[in-house]
Amino acid sequence: MNYKEQFFRKLEDMFVGERVQGEGGYINLMRIKTKYFKEGILPILKKEIAEALRDFHEFEHEFFEKLYTFFEPFFSENGSVYFRFTPVYKNIYEKVYTDEKDVVLFWKTHMLYYVKSDRLFKDLEVEVGDFKFFFDVSELEHKKSNEKRSLVYELKQKREDGVIVFRVLYSERGRKTDIEDILKKLKDKKLKENVLQKAFSIFEKQSEVDYFINKNAKEFLREQFDLWLYQYIFRGQTNWT
């Protein structure tokens, strides 16, 4: 994959964030955001880039390399703009040994408003022993806050290829997964409760995501671009004709 493809893919990942499935107001908001990016922002950006490179086709590879290099530290899985990738060689840490300061901390989330943390479940196929399971989260209603709610699994079907499909929902009124009922419906003597429990456990290990809103993403990116450009020009590695 070249830098052009990487840049547009990562830009979409940053703007849209983690792909979400299910139902609810928050899910609808994420879908609107995705549509806004693909139908609004992306065509305009591609048009402006094409105009900028119209007379400099040989510069296209380097152009996208520079774009990708600049934005790489700020690409996050949740669509937030902040320092996500901060290795030492990026030179974004404050030098700590001065006459006035012994230690300076780098607080990379100081410009962010914390929104929420949540696990974003995706459709997932799990294999445990001789059994394959598929977890369908299309009907999972996204939580409205950081409330703790357990998951409930309902048997949806057993496909012709032998894969056992479960519908995933959040528990309401203390409802729990009825494993005995699932085993009765499947009528498979080899399938035991511990196999189902292991499959459920694997599904629930999907990663947790923190949501932030940058107080001023434009100002933040402008500041970081000024620093990036200064380092690019004066770091002694740039050859000028």
Side-chain angles (χ1 to χ4, degrees):
M1 185 184 299
N2 57 38
Y3 280 110
K4 181 178 181 179
E5 294 172 338
Q6 289 186 69
F7 171 71
F8 282 118
R9 176 171 295 183
K10 289 293 186 179
L11 182 66
E12 180 178 354
D13 289 343
M14 184 180 73
F15 191 92
V16 175
E18 189 74 10
R19 303 299 190 277
V20 291
Q21 300 179 71
E23 301 297 332
Y26 185 79
I27 299 295
N28 291 335
L29 178 62
M30 296 296 287
R31 288 171 179 161
I32 291 171
K33 187 179 180 183
T34 302
K35 185 176 181 179
Y36 173 66
F37 174 79
K38 291 183 176 180
E39 298 181 8
I41 294 177
L42 196 57
I44 295 175
L45 180 61
K46 287 185 175 181
K47 181 180 178 181
E48 291 187 356
I49 289 175
E51 290 177 354
L53 294 174
R54 183 173 51 195
D55 299 324
F56 306 96
H57 298 292
E58 70 282 359
F59 183 62
E60 180 174 325
H61 176 78
E62 186 177 353
F63 178 79
F64 281 104
E65 178 186 2
K66 296 293 184 292
L67 279 179
Y68 183 81
T69 303
F70 169 67
F71 278 107
E72 183 188 15
F74 318 121
F75 291 139
S76 64
E77 60 187 2
N78 55 21
S80 303
V81 180
Y82 69 102
F83 287 113
R84 186 199 64 83
F85 183 59
T86 54
V88 175
Y89 70 84
K90 289 291 184 180
N91 294 321
I92 61 173
Y93 291 90
E94 187 74 29
K95 302 300 184 293
V96 299
Y97 305 111
T98 68
D99 295 335
E100 299 176 355
K101 301 176 182 177
D102 292 328
V103 176
V104 177
L105 298 178
F106 176 66
W107 182 18
K108 70 178 184 180
T109 58
H110 72 92
M111 79 295 287
L112 304 178
Y113 289 115
Y114 170 76
V115 179
K116 64 185 297 186
S117 297
D118 205 353
R119 285 184 297 173
L120 295 181
F121 293 108
K122 302 178 182 178
D123 290 342
L124 186 68
E125 187 168 297
V126 174
E127 186 171 349
V128 180
D130 297 328
F131 297 94
K132 288 185 178 181
F133 305 93
F134 182 81
F135 294 91
D136 179 4
V137 300
S138 61
E139 298 178 41
L140 184 67
E141 184 177 355
H142 204 70
K143 292 185 292 184
K144 298 178 177 62
S145 61
N146 284 338
E147 58 192 338
K148 293 192 178 295
R149 298 175 62 183
S150 58
L151 295 174
V152 174
Y153 303 95
E154 290 183 353
L155 179 62
K156 188 173 182 179
Q157 65 172 328
K158 185 174 182 179
R159 299 194 315 224
E160 293 181 359
D161 57 3
V163 175
I164 300 170
V165 181
F166 286 103
R167 182 184 295 110
V168 185
L169 304 167
Y170 277 117
S171 174
E172 294 183 355
R173 303 181 184 90
R175 183 185 172 202
K176 296 181 180 181
T177 302
D178 192 339
I179 294 181
E180 289 186 9
D181 183 62
I182 293 173
L183 292 173
K184 286 180 181 178
K185 289 179 178 178
L186 288 172
K187 299 177 181 179
D188 190 329
K189 294 182 178 180
K190 294 182 180 179
L191 180 60
K192 305 297 182 182
E193 180 177 342
N194 66 313
V195 175
L196 287 179
Q197 293 286 14
K198 186 174 182 179
F200 297 157
S201 177
I202 293 172
F203 171 78
E204 292 181 18
K205 286 181 180 179
Q206 298 193 50
S207 61
E208 185 173 87
V209 175
D210 293 322
Y211 287 93
F212 298 99
I213 295 177
N214 196 309
K215 297 175 183 178
N216 193 330
K218 184 176 181 179
E219 181 180 341
F220 169 74
L221 289 175
R222 282 186 180 277
E223 179 183 2
Q224 296 309 313
F225 179 76
D226 288 343
L227 293 172
W228 179 88
L229 185 61
Y230 178 85
Q231 291 177 6
Y232 172 70
I233 294 176
F234 293 103
R235 65 186 172 184
Q237 300 177 6
T238 304
N239 296 320
W240 302 94
T241 62

